[in-house]
Amino acid sequence: MGIPIISNVVNGIKGGVKATLQGTADTGSAVANAVKNVAITTLKGTGELVVKGLQVPASIVSGAFQGVSDIGVSVIKSVKGIVNGTIQGAMDSGVSQKDAVQGSVKQAIESAKGLGLDVGEVAVEAVTGAVNGVKQVGGDSVSAAKDAIVAALEAAKDIGNETVETVKTALHSSVDGAKDILNEIKK
């Protein structure tokens, strides 16, 4: 049960990310800024698009994943930058922090599954990218971490129980503070 995607946002982001990153030697550092800038431009160009809910950030992430994979860049190495840039661009465009974080992380995991990527690894990168993105715009990184971990687990649950365990294990061992958040969620 995925998040409804806004196709004109997906296509705008996909094209913009491809155009921005093609020929860039160090795509790792360029991804977050490329996604942020293309997201802001695309969202301004959509007119009265409702900037509430999870669809906007999910659409940005979906388009960025497609754009990055189309130019042959490692998607896993780009996840942190994609989510970071999505959150910055979405929040700069009026999307709430919680919606930006949850929509971005959920879609990153759904896109990872669709591309056959290691969902645990993508969850770690997405949560890290979410916290970094929120820090960049001066948001609350503690609540961002919790929202990102909850979103990762919800997306994993939609895929299956084995994926939930994979994501929990990956987050527990690789994300600062995840252990406490996972224990709190259990209660």
Side-chain angles (χ1 to χ4, degrees):
M1 187 181 84
I3 300 166
I5 299 295
I6 306 166
S7 63
N8 62 335
V9 173
V10 171
N11 292 332
I13 298 294
K14 177 181 173 183
V17 167
K18 280 173 65 173
T20 304
L21 295 180
Q22 265 173 334
T24 303
D26 180 18
T27 55
S29 61
V31 170
N33 280 334
V35 172
K36 173 188 172 187
N37 295 335
V38 172
I40 290 169
T41 303
T42 302
L43 293 176
K44 281 182 183 163
T46 57
E48 290 301 310
L49 179 71
V50 178
V51 287
K52 290 189 173 112
L54 307 179
Q55 291 106 333
V56 170
S59 300
I60 295 167
V61 168
S62 179
F65 263 69
Q66 291 174 33
V68 166
S69 67
D70 280 2
I71 59 172
V73 173
S74 167
V75 176
I76 288 189
K77 289 181 179 167
S78 302
V79 171
K80 186 187 304 179
I82 289 171
V83 172
N84 180 331
T86 297
I87 287 171
Q88 290 185 60
M91 288 177 67
D92 281 356
S93 300
V95 176
S96 74
Q97 175 181 311
K98 186 171 186 169
D99 286 348
V101 169
Q102 289 187 336
S104 300
V105 172
K106 282 182 179 180
Q107 187 60 47
I109 292 184
E110 289 174 17
S111 293
K113 179 192 177 281
L115 292 171
L117 302 173
D118 179 332
V119 176
E121 198 174 344
V122 168
V124 168
E125 294 297 313
V127 168
T128 306
V131 173
N132 290 345
V134 167
K135 278 182 189 172
Q136 296 289 323
V137 294
D140 178 355
S141 57
V142 173
S143 67
K146 184 174 181 181
D147 290 340
I149 289 170
V150 167
L153 292 173
E154 286 175 1
K157 197 181 299 177
D158 288 346
I159 297 169
N161 288 338
E162 189 177 308
T163 305
V164 171
E165 291 310 311
T166 300
V167 167
K168 277 184 184 176
T169 302
L171 292 172
H172 191 276
S173 64
S174 301
V175 175
D176 289 339
K179 179 180 169 187
D180 295 336
I181 293 170
L182 289 167
N183 288 335
E184 183 183 318
I185 293 169
K186 263 191 237 176
K187 294 177 185 173

